[in-house]
Amino acid sequence: MKPINIVRLLITTVLVLSNALVNANGTTTTPDQLCTSILASYNSSTCDQQCKDSIITNYSDCFSGGLSAGTVSINSTSFAQVVTISNIISSRFFLVGRPRQKTEINEKGMAGGGENPRWNLWGNLTNSDTHQDQNTVNFNSTVLTTVIGGDYALSQNMVLGVSGSFDNGDGSLGANSDFTSKGFSIAPYIGFQFSPELVLDASVGIGSGELDLNSLEKKSDRWFGAANLSYNHWIDNIQLTGKFSYLHGEEAYHDDARNKLDQVRLGVQAGYWMESVMPYAGLSYSSDISRSSSLVNAPTDPIGKEAWIWTVGFNFFSLRNGMTGGIAYSQEEGRSYQKNNLLIANIGIRF
C-alpha cells in the first residue's frame, strides 16, 4: 500500500472511531450520529476508493439502513404498488365515465347504473426520482417500478384481484459510489363500493429485494399493506374526488437491519370530463406517523415527516373497446434536504 493511502486510511479510521466513542461532552454517540460520521468520512476528499471500499465492508449497515434511505426505498417500491392498486380500483368503480351520460360504454354498464364488467386487466409504470443533499451526505436514487394485475367482480359492488411488481433502480452515495437495486413482490387486493360516492380498498403484499453497492450485495425481505377510502362526486362535467390512505411497509435486510414506515395520506383531486379524455389536478398531504430503523434510533429527523404532493395528469377512455389509461406527473414538496418526483403511466382493459 502506498504511504499516501495509508495516511488517508488512518485519517478515516480516526474520524470514525472518534465519533463512535464518547464525545467531548461525555455523551455516547447514537447510531444515527455514527452513520452520519461514517457517511461524511466516506464522502470526504481524503477518502480514496480503497478507503471507500473499506468503509462499505465494515459499515455496510449504514448504507442499507437508516431513516432517509429506508423511507425512499419503501416509498418507491412497496408504496408505489399499493397506491397503484387503489387508483385502479377507484377507476374501476367511478372513473370510467360521467354518470347518466348516454354512451356505448354506459350501455355496457361500465358507469353508474349498469353491471360492472367481470374482468379488469391492467399495467402501470412508476418512475421515482429522489435527490437528497444534506451537508456532506449526498443521496440520489431513480427507481422504475412495473406493476401488472387483474381482478374479477364477484358482484356489482365487490372485486378481488392480485398484482405483481418488479422494480429496478440505480443511484449514488456521493462521488464514485454508485449502487443498483432490484426487487419483486406480489399483493392480493379487494375493493368494495358502499355507495356511488364511497369505495374502500385494501391490499397486502410480500416480496424481496437486493442492493448492490460497489459489488457488495445485500438482500432484503419486504412486507407491506394499505387501506384506502375514496370519495367521488360529480358537478356537471367536473369530477371531485378525495382519498384517505393508511400505508405500512417494512424491509428486513439479511444482516438484521430492519426499516419500518407507517404513513397516512389525505388528498383531493378535480377533473373535467371531455368525452373520452379527462385532465385533472390534485393535491395531497403526506405524514410519516411512524418511522424507524434498527440501525438508526436517534430522535434526529434529517428530512422531516410531512410533505405536500401535487399532481397533474389526464385519463383517457376508449368507449368502444373498454380500454382506459392515463399519464401523470407528481412532485413532493416540504421535506428538508430532499426532493422527489414521479412520472406515472397506466393502461387497462375491462370485459
Side-chain angles (χ1 to χ4, degrees), residues 34-88:
L34 173 60
C35 282
T36 298
S37 298
I38 291 171
L39 291 173
S41 300
Y42 181 87
N43 287 315
S44 70
S45 60
T46 61
C47 191
D48 62 6
Q49 191 57 51
Q50 187 173 8
C51 164
K52 294 179 186 295
D53 292 341
S54 177
I55 290 178
I56 291 174
T57 300
N58 293 286
Y59 299 97
S60 60
D61 291 348
C62 290
F63 296 92
S64 62
L67 294 180
S68 299
T71 298
V72 171
S73 178
I74 293 173
N75 270 314
S76 58
T77 57
S78 300
F79 285 4
Q81 184 171 359
V82 295
V83 168
T84 295
I85 292 171
S86 181
N87 291 338
I88 292 296

Side-chain angles (χ1 to χ4, degrees), residues 129-204:
D129 194 12
T130 305
H131 300 277
Q132 181 172 327
D133 186 0
Q134 182 190 3
N135 299 323
T136 59
V137 180
N138 300 309
F139 176 81
N140 297 289
S141 173
T142 299
V143 179
L144 178 64
T145 301
T146 303
V147 188
I148 57 175
D151 49 68
Y152 179 79
L154 298 178
S155 68
Q156 187 175 348
N157 300 321
M158 179 180 291
V159 298
L160 287 177
V162 64
S163 70
S165 75
F166 308 88
D167 56 86
N168 287 277
D170 57 62
S172 64
L173 293 164
N176 302 317
S177 308
D178 297 335
F179 67 85
T180 60
S181 64
K182 61 182 178 180
F184 69 92
S185 62
I186 184 170
Y189 60 89
I190 184 172
F192 183 80
Q193 185 175 29
F194 291 96
S195 70
E197 293 81 23
L198 290 175
V199 168
L200 177 68
D201 69 84
S203 58
V204 294

Side-chain angles (χ1 to χ4, degrees), residues 277-330:
V277 177
M278 178 184 287
Y280 63 88
L283 180 66
S284 299
Y285 167 78
S286 173
S287 176
D288 300 341
I289 58 175
S290 177
R291 191 170 62 193
S292 65
S293 171
S294 61
L295 300 172
V296 182
N297 301 309
T300 56
D301 186 2
I303 64 174
K305 294 185 177 182
E306 299 178 339
W308 292 92
I309 306 167
W310 59 265
T311 304
V312 292
F314 69 89
N315 294 311
F316 70 84
F317 315 96
S318 176
L319 305 183
R320 181 176 299 276
N321 300 317
M323 295 186 66
T324 64
I327 188 169
Y329 175 81
S330 180

Side-chain angles (χ1 to χ4, degrees), residues 216-292:
L216 177 68
E217 294 185 356
K218 301 177 69 64
K219 297 183 181 297
S220 65
D221 297 319
R222 301 172 179 173
W223 183 91
F224 55 91
N228 307 273
L229 181 64
S230 302
Y231 172 79
N232 169 69
H233 180 68
W234 287 91
I235 303 176
D236 294 327
N237 287 345
I238 299 175
Q239 185 192 43
L240 303 176
T241 60
K243 188 185 294 285
F244 174 78
S245 305
Y246 178 88
L247 306 92
H248 173 83
E250 296 185 22
E251 284 188 339
Y253 286 84
H254 293 183
D255 55 11
D256 295 329
R258 180 181 293 272
N259 302 318
K260 298 181 182 180
L261 176 61
D262 288 274
Q263 188 178 93
V264 294
R265 299 185 184 184
L266 180 63
V268 293
Q269 181 177 292
Y272 187 79
W273 175 260
M274 300 168 59
E275 297 301 333
S276 60
V277 177
M278 178 184 287
Y280 63 88
L283 180 66
S284 299
Y285 167 78
S286 173
S287 176
D288 300 341
I289 58 175
S290 177
R291 191 170 62 193
S292 65

